């Protein structure tokens, strides 16, 4: 093909600015390459920066027409010298000031292959095989593109309005119908976005996008979807258009479809996928329907099925901000899911048919079934219903605001709660939780503790727990637990104990536990041991725990036990033993008991000595029912950590100068306790603490 050899081209191009009241330009570029990353000192002299090959070139104006004939090809080199761009085809030079080409100095690299450009006073069309731009901080690649844009002015007279025109009247489709869809890649330096565009229509009042293989990636995350479509209304976009107003206008009637979205954050070891059946809005509310959602974070996997969410939209006019979407959702919304699963190395959580609703000033959570398997324990809860105060949003979204509302005011109930591990279980038929001004109150008709071996059952009748959140600035889980530990109060109306050898009914007036002290007050109670009813009156226990939350959360019960042993005060008015057999044997049983310890009166125990190891026990046992005895027993009490034993070392105390005090204590223990974990060795009374072997 011949190269163009005419001075007319130079003359025509230099005349264009003065003739541009009517213009038609049609150029086909087989290859163009430009390298603009030269340093200033490299451009002092005329420097080669690229080349241009154009097999077709046509310019029509009212005063002149120029057409490159079919058997010719325009071919030339591109040079730079200082701020001048020079096109040289060996026969002529076209020199143009870079300062007159908007943002040309930002181009670091350009590469075109088989692209055609056509423009006249009303339209701009770019189509072809490939085009690539590199700018200072970004790159842009297009492949197989057919771009049409309606213009209000031609590209010379209306150069400033080209972008605005295309933002309001343009279409993109693929150039070669036999090839894959238009490929677009944009890299901003921090984030790369790529997709294959099936269809794009931008009109004055409407936006339609259909794309495939959308991927957005940066150093911290990757998001992708196989297909996505968006259809929504739009306002008039200007060159520097308001993205917030554009989003607000779109939400007036938006429809988004993305059957499967995948994401990954490698630095945080997170990945997942979201199936979007539909996401629509009508200007008043937004509706999201997701058949499946999965999130994997390290060893933890979270799955939702059939997630259905409605959300109220905020006003969508001038002044719209993105955080207003959160405000609207927090004011009125509903989230319903069919099933929720969470798995990690420690266990599994399964929730059936949960719903979360924001209704003005209230937040409500309901679910019929929760199952939790954690560290060898299983928790089951039926019919949870919980309502919280919904604090209005005054500014940006605060991730603690929901929790603040729940801790300021909330109320809820559960049914059929159970917690089981290898050795025990806790069961609640119903329970209520009430929170008001940072004070929590929990109560239930009956709380049952079961030994899974079947030997022990304890029913706590009408238990209630109160605790306060002292530090209202921090609502972390640790702060809440620390506040409850510091200010808890536990009350139980009565306790029923059933054991293979013990039945009991205990009335409790007060059980109060905090980090400083344990207080136990039981006006009366009864327990059955070896065929005898043991009835007591006014049993009180006080001990200084001197514990900290950190000790408690680390399950350092031995430190708490040691503190209590050295600061305990016990008072018992009376303990009587009565045979509970049938009428024939009752008199015989009571007679047998009369030959041993029938009861004890006026018992006091005090280990709160100055050195913290001494104890003093005052007791008045009823021996043989007619011998009055009052004895004071002194000794030391301590705990052996390695052997898990409490040792009471009784001093050589005698009553009636012949009977050792330890013998009396042994008789009392055998009569009223009779536990295989208690033994007497010479002057020592040893209590073995049964501890599960963790190894």
């Amino acid at each position: 093909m011949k190269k163009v050899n005419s001075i007319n081209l130079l003359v025509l191009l230099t005349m264009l600015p003065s003739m541009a009241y009517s213009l038609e330009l049609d150029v086909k570029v087989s290859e163009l390459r430009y390298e603009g990353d030269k340093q200033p000192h490299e451009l002092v002299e005329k420097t080669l920066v690229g080349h241009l090959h154009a097999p077709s070139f046509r310019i029509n104006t009212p005063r002149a027409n120029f057409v490159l004939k079919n058997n010719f090809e325009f071919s030339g080199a591109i040079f730079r010298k200082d701020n001048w761009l020079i096109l040289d085809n060996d026969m002529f030079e076209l020199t143009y000031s870079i300062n007159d080409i908007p943002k040309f100095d930002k181009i670091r690299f350009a590469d075109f292959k088989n692209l055609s450009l056509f423009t006249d006073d009303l339209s701009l069309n770019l189509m072809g095989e490939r085009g690539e731009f590199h700018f200072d901080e970004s790159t842009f690649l297009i492949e197989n593109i057919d771009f049409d844009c309606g213009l209000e002015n031609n590209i010379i007279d209306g150069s400033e309005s080209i972008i605005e025109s295309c933002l309001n009247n343009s279409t993109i489709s693929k150039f070669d119908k036999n090839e894959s869809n238009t490929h677009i890649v944009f890299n901003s330096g921090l984030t790369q976005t790529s997709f294959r565009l099936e269809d794009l229509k931008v009109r004055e009042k409407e936006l339609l996008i259909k794309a495939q293989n959308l991927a957005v990636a940066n150093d911290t995350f990757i998001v992708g979807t196989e297909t996505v479509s968006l259809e929504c209304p739009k306002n008039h976009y200007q060159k520097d258009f308001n993205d917030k107003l554009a989003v607000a206008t779109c939400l007036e009637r938006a429809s988004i479809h993305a059957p499967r979205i995948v994401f990954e954050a490698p630095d945080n070891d997170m990945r997942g996928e979201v199936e979007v059946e539909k996401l629509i809005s009508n200007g008043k509310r937004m509706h999201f329907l997701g058949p499946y959602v999965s999130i994997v974070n390290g060893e933890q996997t979270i799955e939702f099925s059939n997630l259905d969410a409605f959300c109220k939209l905020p006003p969508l006019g001038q002044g719209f901000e993105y955080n207003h979407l959160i405000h609207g959702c927090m004011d009125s919304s509903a989230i319903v899911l069919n099933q929720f699963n969470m798995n990690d190395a420690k266990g599994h959580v399964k929730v059936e048919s949960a719903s979360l609703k924001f209704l003005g000033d209230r937040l409500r959570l309901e679910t019929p079934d929760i199952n939790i398997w954690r560290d060898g324990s299983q928790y089951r809860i039926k019919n949870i219903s919980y309502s919280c105060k919904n604090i209005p949003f005054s500014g940006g979204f605060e991730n603690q605001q929901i929790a603040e509302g729940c801790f300021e005011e909330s109320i809820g109930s559960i049914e059929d709660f159970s917690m089981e591990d290898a050795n025990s279980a806790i069961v609640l038929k119903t329970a209520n939780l009430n929170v008001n001004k940072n004070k929590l109150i929990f109560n239930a008709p009956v709380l049952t503790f079961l030994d899974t071996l079947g030997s022990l059952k304890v029913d706590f009748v009408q238990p209630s727990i109160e605790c306060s959140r002292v530090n209202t600035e921090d609502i972390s889980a640790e702060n809440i637990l620390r506040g409850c530990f510091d200010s808890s109060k536990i009350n139980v109306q009565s306790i029923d104990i059933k054991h293979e050898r013990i039945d009991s009914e205990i009335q409790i007036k007060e059980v109060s536990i905090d980090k400083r002290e344990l207080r136990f007050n039981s006006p009366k109670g009864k327990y059955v041991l070896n065929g005898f009813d043991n009835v007591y009156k006014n049993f009180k226990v006080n001990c200084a725990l001197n514990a900290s939350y950190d000790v408690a959360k680390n399950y350092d019960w031995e430190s708490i036990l040691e503190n209590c042993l050295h600061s305990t005060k016990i008072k018992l008015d009376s303990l009587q033993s009565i045979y509970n057999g049938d009428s024939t044997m009752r008199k015989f049983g009571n007679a047998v008991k009369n030959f041993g310890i029938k009861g004890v009166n006026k018992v006091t125990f005090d280990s709160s000595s100055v050195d913290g190891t001494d104890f003093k026990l005052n007791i008045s046992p009823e021996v043989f029912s007619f011998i009055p005895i009052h004895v004071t027993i002194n000794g030391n009490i301590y705990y052996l950590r390695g052997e898990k034993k409490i040792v009471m070392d009784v001093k050589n105390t005698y009553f009636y100068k012949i009977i050792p005090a330890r013998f009396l204590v042994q008789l009392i223990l055998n009569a009223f306790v009779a536990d295989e974990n208690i033994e007497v060795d010479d002057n020592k009374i040893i209590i073995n603490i049964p501890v599960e072997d963790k190894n």
Side-chain angles (χ1 to χ4, degrees), residues 1-15:
M1 181 175 289
K2 297 180 181 179
K3 296 183 180 180
V4 65
N5 185 9
S6 175
I7 198 64
N8 291 338
L9 178 62
L10 175 60
V11 174
L12 178 63
L13 292 177
T14 56
M15 292 172 60

Side-chain angles (χ1 to χ4, degrees), residues 489-494 507-511 520-523:
K489 182 177 182 181
I490 303 174
N491 291 299
V492 182
Q493 180 171 306
S494 65
Q507 183 184 89
I508 294 179
K509 184 177 181 180
E510 178 188 17
V511 176
F520 177 90
N521 183 359
S522 177

